[in-house]
Amino acid sequence: MVLEATMICIDNSEWMRNGDYSPSRFQAQADAVNLICGAKTQSNPENTVGILTMAGKGVRVLATPTPDLGKILACMHGLEMGGEMNIAAGIQVAQLALKHRQNKNQQQRIIVFAGSPVNYDKKMLEMIGKKLKKNSVALDIVDFGEDDDGKSDKLEALLGAVNNNDSSHIVHVPAGQSALSDVLISTPVFTGDGDGGSGFAAAAAAAAVGGASGFDFGVDPNLDPELALALRVSMEEERARQEAAAKRAAEDASRQEKGEEPSSKAEDATMSDANVSAPEENKKITNDGDANALLKQALQMSMNISGSSHSVGDAEMLDTTSEDQELALALQMSMQESTSNPSSQADESKVLEDQSFVSSVLASLPGVDPNDPAVKDILAALQNQSESQQKKSEDEQKKSEDEPSNENK
Amino acid sequence: MSGESASAIHKSQVDLLDFIDWSGVECLNQSSSHSLANALKQGYREDDGLNLESDADEQLLIYLPFTQVIKLHSIAIKGPEEEGPKTVKLFSNKEHMGFINVNDFPPSDTINLSPDNLKGKPVVLKYVKFQNVRSLTIFIEDNQSGSDLTKVQKIVLYGSTVETTDMKGLKKIEDGH
């Protein structure tokens, strides 16, 4: 939160056309400049930032130190590349611009982007550095782009002459995968001198790194709450699904002889429902450990989603163990493609013949239209395969429907 | 007034240390380990081991604002023989000067420190130029030996304040003349 007036010296020489930084050196530089301006103005509302170009026809001040971020971003438009960078003149003009800042209480800082070769000798640069130090101007140097012999040494010498109590920094950015701005975000150029940096800088850094240190999914909940929520929900669902799959594998191994596969499959069926509360239900189910209670809960889950009128009737049907297995398997069938238990397959076909039940379940599946002729054909084929079994289940259904109707009276 | 010996301080002149506004004090080109406080502050300035030192070169620019308007009578600068200051320019009421524009204005006064002065003898200034001083800028241009390092042990300002109403001396006006 240091009160600061900053002058940014941009290199717009011919060397900036090179594409070793994507998309081009100049564009990478412009992005970095925009980010720095934002960070500076956010860290303290009274901070001012100014821009000047060092190449072209000569050193030209595009914007004198101003707190208006919009003006700064606007003057970054339409910049042309050409000529050679004049670093000494650029720094001196920047120093003059800072001297005439309106608020004399601001600390003075110059940020130089040195992308092209430096023509001045070390002595000259050291003298400039000394002059800056004498006038208590801090200097940040971004060494990128051309890397001819001596450029790094010269810039280091300049930094050494200017540096007073570590208020000045130099950053060497080699060409490569990561963008110039990303590399700069983690440096003191962006974060300031050990203040801890501004919230802006920290958030930008988190977003850039991919959310490892900042937000969970690389999306700032402040910027996009719906997206962050959707990502979080889907992450939880996936986690729950994986947990259920792991549990199922464990339970299959341990409980296979007890024939409690239907219960585990029922759990699995509920897991695959698109419902965040499903994992919590699942945990409840496993804690109970009672097969009937498990099935009851599982069925209630599925019934809530399918919204069929059978909900009460089906709950009643739990009394008969054969019904338990059929319905549980029905759930599993409706939600999942493959079944590993051969004995359950015969039961599955029975349940499929319960047309209304199946169609209601199918309706709950995304992308499946029960009125689709193809789906209808399949169902008809399944029904024809075992009519006797269908009759038997219908009788049982009538019996159970009588019961709730009696209760309602 | 003319009979006043150089070493005596005029009776009504006080040490203006109390009237310095410390929040606005600035010193350009000072070394971070040897700062202005070593030369100005009570206790530090008496210690000859603690100096104000210059950093990049031999010049120093000290800016002292005051809490009220003062008249400046004389100044005492103490320093070592070799690295003590030689030419000192004083500017009154000029804010935020830098090394670049320090030679653009004529100084209110220029003093050349002799080795005697460096032992602590105050230098009398052109009093008429310092009648209404809100801030003082001290520009140390070079030092005795011409080296790159200037050391100052003590800076004391002598003068008086402009409004000097002694409240204790005021008597209440009685009613009924």
Side-chain angles (χ1 to χ4, degrees):
Chain A
M1 294 288 279
V2 183
L3 183 56
E4 216 171 41
T6 310
M7 277 301 288
I8 304 183
C9 302
I10 295 181
D11 182 0
N12 60 333
S13 63
E14 288 285 352
W15 278 266
M16 290 298 110
R17 292 190 200 273
N18 196 332
D20 52 359
Y21 296 78
S22 62
S24 76
R25 282 182 189 169
F26 188 72
Q27 198 52 46
Q29 192 190 201
D31 291 340
V33 169
N34 290 342
L35 275 174
I36 289 176
C37 293
K40 294 283 180 198
T41 46
Q42 273 221 351
S43 78
N44 187 326
E46 287 188 46
N47 278 354
T48 58
V49 182
I51 313 260
L52 63 80
T53 53
M54 292 191 283
K57 287 210 180 116
V59 175
R60 192 160 71 100
V61 175
L62 299 173
T64 55
T66 166
D68 186 0
L69 183 61
K71 186 168 162 214
I72 298 164
L73 295 178
C75 75
M76 289 293 294
H77 273 306
L79 283 179
E80 289 181 359
M81 290 179 261
E84 276 183 20
M85 170 179 81
N86 185 347
I87 194 168
I91 293 177
Q92 282 167 338
V93 171
Q95 190 186 349
L96 205 58
L98 284 173
K99 193 167 100 82
H100 293 287
R101 66 195 185 284
Q102 284 186 319
N103 182 356
K104 302 286 181 191
N105 289 328
Q106 289 167 330
Q107 304 275 343
Q108 304 173 70
R109 181 174 291 273
I110 300 176
I111 303 179
V112 176
F113 283 85
S116 42
V118 175
N119 294 328
Y120 293 90
D121 56 344
K122 238 194 224 185
K123 274 243 123 197
M124 177 76 167
L125 291 174
E126 275 174 6
M127 268 174 53
I128 293 172
K130 258 179 63 172
K131 207 159 143 237
L132 288 177
K133 181 152 95 155
K134 203 171 151 188
N135 287 287
S136 76
V137 178
L139 178 68
D140 288 337
I141 307 171
V142 180
D143 176 18
F144 71 111
E146 289 296 312
D147 188 23
D148 62 351
D149 43 31
K151 182 183 172 200
S152 291
D153 290 341
K154 287 179 186 174
L155 293 175
E156 291 279 358
L158 173 60
L159 182 84
V162 171
N163 202 356
N164 185 11
N165 267 353
D166 274 341
S167 64
S168 302
H169 317 97
I170 185 168
V171 183
H172 303 276
V173 186
Q177 278 293 344
S178 48
L180 184 61
S181 357
D182 291 342
V183 175
L184 281 181
I185 275 170
S186 52
T187 60
V189 171
F190 220 97
T191 60
D193 299 324
D195 286 15
S198 65
F200 180 94
V209 172
S213 59
F215 311 109
D216 285 337
F217 304 103
V219 174
D220 182 1
N222 294 329
L223 293 175
D224 200 345
E226 290 131 7
L227 180 57
L229 181 66
L231 285 168
R232 201 181 330 125
V233 165
S234 68
M235 178 69 115
E236 278 175 27
E237 277 175 40
E238 184 57 39
R239 209 180 295 138
R241 204 173 294 134
Q242 282 174 358
E243 269 176 40
K247 269 190 202 117
R248 186 163 66 105
E251 282 169 8
D252 280 353
S254 62
R255 295 187 190 180
Q256 190 151 14
E257 291 168 4
K258 294 178 188 174
E260 286 195 15
E261 280 196 26
S263 65
S264 64
K265 280 173 188 161
E267 291 163 26
D268 196 15
T270 60
M271 285 318 104
S272 51
D273 289 344
N275 194 335
V276 178
S277 58
E280 293 160 357
E281 292 275 343
N282 183 29
K283 283 175 194 135
K284 272 193 240 163
I285 288 167
T286 51
N287 288 338
D288 287 341
D290 182 18
N292 275 346
L294 285 171
L295 284 164
K296 214 176 268 182
Q297 278 175 329
L299 282 165
Q300 267 179 346
M301 284 289 306
S302 67
M303 283 309 112
N304 287 335
I305 288 156
S306 58
S308 78
S309 57
H310 287 278
S311 57
V312 179
D314 286 337
E316 294 302 314
M317 288 204 283
L318 281 172
D319 294 337
T320 55
T321 50
S322 61
E323 300 298 335
D324 292 346
Q325 288 193 346
E326 281 174 15
L327 287 156
L329 287 166
L331 288 167
Q332 183 250 325
M333 260 306 293
S334 65
M335 296 304 168
Q336 264 195 344
E337 297 283 330
S338 60
T339 54
S340 54
N341 192 345
S343 61
S344 65
Q345 276 178 355
D347 298 326
E348 287 158 10
S349 56
K350 249 193 276 178
V351 178
L352 273 180
E353 285 139 16
D354 188 354
Q355 178 87 17
S356 53
F357 175 69
V358 170
S359 63
S360 66
V361 170
L362 282 174
S364 73
L365 286 174
V368 174
D369 183 6
N371 297 327
D372 191 339
V375 175
K376 274 190 173 168
D377 288 340
I378 294 168
L379 286 173
L382 282 167
Q383 278 188 326
N384 291 335
Q385 276 173 9
S386 49
E387 281 186 4
S388 58
Q389 287 171 339
Q390 183 187 11
K391 224 180 171 185
K392 182 181 163 195
S393 63
E394 276 178 359
D395 290 341
E396 285 166 345
Q397 270 189 345
K398 274 187 197 153
K399 206 191 344 173
S400 61
E401 277 170 3
D402 287 339
E403 292 170 7
S405 60
N406 289 332
E407 285 181 5
N408 286 337
K409 287 175 190 166
Chain B
M1 288 280 273
S2 60
E4 157 204 347
S5 68
S7 57
I9 300 166
H10 211 247
K11 269 268 158 82
S12 63
Q13 307 303 334
V14 294
D15 185 344
L16 295 173
L17 182 64
D18 299 330
F19 302 107
I20 294 177
D21 177 13
W22 291 102
S23 63
V25 166
E26 281 172 18
C27 181
L28 289 184
N29 201 28
Q30 66 179 336
S31 153
S32 45
S33 50
H34 299 90
S35 66
L36 182 60
N38 290 351
L40 274 185
K41 285 207 170 162
Q42 199 74 36
Y44 290 101
R45 65 184 185 183
E46 304 307 329
D47 183 354
D48 284 345
L50 291 175
N51 301 334
L52 163 67
E53 285 181 20
S54 68
D55 195 4
D57 61 9
E58 74 279 7
Q59 295 184 339
L60 282 164
L61 193 60
I62 303 166
Y63 172 70
L64 299 172
F66 295 103
T67 54
Q68 57 168 290
V69 180
I70 52 121
K71 299 184 204 227
L72 190 62
H73 178 264
S74 53
I75 182 170
I77 298 180
K78 191 167 168 213
E81 269 186 45
E82 290 278 314
E83 293 106 347
K86 189 162 84 174
T87 313
V88 179
K89 292 183 178 170
L90 298 168
F91 302 84
S92 91
N93 297 334
K94 287 266 182 342
E95 302 205 336
H96 302 286
M97 295 187 79
F99 287 105
I100 302 169
N101 64 347
V102 76
N103 288 317
D104 294 344
F105 305 105
S108 307
D109 202 357
T110 309
I111 50 178
N112 272 302
L113 292 172
S114 64
D116 262 358
N117 295 120
L118 282 176
K119 294 208 177 72
K121 202 166 82 166
V123 177
V124 178
L125 303 169
K126 288 180 193 156
Y127 200 41
V128 291
K129 300 258 180 158
F130 295 101
Q131 287 297 303
N132 202 354
V133 178
R134 281 214 160 269
S135 71
L136 182 69
T137 305
I138 304 171
F139 173 48
I140 298 174
E141 201 167 357
D142 51 24
N143 55 30
Q144 297 286 334
S145 59
S147 68
D148 265 350
L149 183 63
T150 302
K151 287 187 189 172
V152 181
Q153 286 164 342
K154 184 159 111 177
I155 298 175
V156 189
L157 303 169
Y158 296 102
S160 56
T161 55
V162 172
E163 281 97 56
T164 46
T165 312
D166 183 14
M167 295 309 288
K168 294 185 197 121
L170 273 180
K171 279 197 188 138
K172 190 176 168 187
I173 297 172
E174 302 286 344
D175 282 330
H177 300 270

